[in-house]
Amino acid sequence: MSYFHSLSRLDFLGILGGMGPLASAEFLKTIYEYSLTGESEQESPRVVVYSDPTLPDRTQILLSGESEPLLSKLIEALHQLSELKARRIIICCVTSHYLLAKLPADLQERIICLVDIILSNIIEQKKKHLLLCTTGTRRLKIFSQHPLWGQAKEYIILPDDSDQQTVHNMIYQIKTNGISIPVAYQHAECLAMKYNADSVIAGCTELHLLSKFSINGGEFQAKQDIQITFFDPLVHIAQSLAS
């Protein structure tokens, strides 16, 4: 079961980034880390990145009910990626997925939905995962109103209100390079242990930086010396491109 249509290296992939810029830049790096395996670089994927940090704050604008400025800028950026012949497009911001249904049909069909990837894989894994995401994503019910939520919810743990605020603040610190990745990783690790989760869902693309830290064997670990694992849709995409 998967809502994710497989990619090939022949697909021209578009990335709409800048939300925040560090995460989408790291995602591009991840794609090539998985695809370059000592063979010819000419066999690696073609990718174009449109990084626009000026896009309005997604949590703030969507919770205010004034989504039109964000939607307009999203459509403009996606059209530019389409004009560059990007066949499939990834929007590196889960909160902005709230607006996918409002995109023109020709753009919708190009989008690889990160929520589709997360929920379909969680259903297959059948393990307890702690969902870390922005408060905007939680309040807008981007996961809980998805068609797969009914099957996935028994495997997903949501932080309580206090911990959700802590997660949201941490994500925004990651966006602005205001917290070191090892320290942010420790916070995520402690939350996973608190909620007795087998893994953490990177429900915000900023958490790709923590996921990569974990994959790369980050030197920092909590006192319990237990390294958490992540389900990260951006890593999943990079692995699919490499296969």
Side-chain angles (χ1 to χ4, degrees), residues 29-76:
K29 181 183 176 186
T30 302
I31 288 172
Y32 289 115
E33 285 175 340
Y34 277 96
S35 295
L36 293 170
T37 57
E39 300 176 0
S40 170
E41 66 184 63
Q42 282 73 31
E43 300 298 319
S44 54
R46 297 181 301 154
V47 184
V48 59
V49 180
Y50 184 106
S51 182
D52 185 1
T54 70
L55 284 158
D57 181 281
R58 278 66 62 197
T59 290
Q60 183 178 5
I61 199 167
L62 291 174
L63 290 180
S64 75
E66 300 294 330
S67 63
E68 187 55 39
L70 175 59
L71 179 61
S72 177
K73 292 207 73 171
L74 278 175
I75 290 173
E76 178 186 357

Side-chain angles (χ1 to χ4, degrees), residues 1-7 13-14 27 88-92 94 97 100 110-126 129 131 142-143 146-149 152 156 200-203 205 230-241:
M1 175 197 306
S2 179
Y3 273 46
F4 174 53
H5 301 293
S6 62
L7 284 166
L13 184 66
F27 176 41
R88 307 298 303 278
I89 298 173
I90 297 155
I91 302 175
C92 281
V94 175
H97 281 51
L100 292 190
R110 294 177 186 263
I111 303 299
I112 296 172
C113 177
L114 300 182
V115 181
D116 289 353
I117 294 174
I118 291 169
L119 293 181
S120 60
N121 279 272
I122 296 312
I123 292 167
E124 290 177 356
Q125 292 178 16
K126 294 181 170 57
H129 294 74
L131 175 60
I142 291 170
F143 283 90
H146 189 280
L148 289 178
W149 179 254
I156 296 177
V200 169
I201 297 170
T205 52
F230 283 79
F231 181 78
D232 179 352
L234 300 185
V235 169
H236 184 81
I237 290 168
Q239 290 171 334
S240 296
L241 283 167

Side-chain angles (χ1 to χ4, degrees), residues 117-182:
I117 294 174
I118 291 169
L119 293 181
S120 60
N121 279 272
I122 296 312
I123 292 167
E124 290 177 356
Q125 292 178 16
K126 294 181 170 57
K127 296 180 180 180
K128 289 291 185 180
H129 294 74
L130 178 65
L131 175 60
L132 301 186
C133 62
T134 66
T135 296
T137 293
R138 280 282 296 273
R139 291 184 182 175
L140 293 164
K141 300 181 179 180
I142 291 170
F143 283 90
S144 61
Q145 290 190 346
H146 189 280
L148 289 178
W149 179 254
Q151 299 175 63
K153 64 182 180 180
E154 66 178 294
Y155 306 115
I156 296 177
I157 303 165
L158 301 176
D160 64 27
D161 290 344
S162 175
D163 286 334
Q164 174 58 45
Q165 188 59 51
T166 297
V167 170
H168 182 84
N169 293 341
M170 179 184 72
I171 287 170
Y172 273 67
Q173 287 179 302
I174 294 172
K175 283 179 181 291
T176 58
N177 214 16
I179 187 173
S180 73
I181 296 305

Side-chain angles (χ1 to χ4, degrees), residues 90-109:
I90 297 155
I91 302 175
C92 281
C93 173
V94 175
T95 309
S96 68
H97 281 51
Y98 181 75
L99 296 175
L100 292 190
K102 296 185 178 182
L103 296 176
D106 63 315
L107 294 178
Q108 284 189 42
E109 65 185 15

Side-chain angles (χ1 to χ4, degrees), residues 192-237:
M193 288 185 288
K194 175 180 177 178
Y195 287 93
N196 196 29
D198 298 314
S199 182
V200 169
I201 297 170
C204 171
T205 52
E206 301 307 317
L207 300 178
H208 181 59
L209 296 165
L210 304 191
S211 170
K212 287 293 295 296
F213 182 79
S214 175
I215 290 169
N216 293 333
E219 59 216 28
F220 187 92
Q221 297 208 13
K223 293 179 180 178
Q224 291 84 348
D225 198 34
I226 299 174
Q227 188 171 11
I228 59 172
T229 60
F230 283 79
F231 181 78
D232 179 352
L234 300 185
V235 169
H236 184 81
I237 290 168

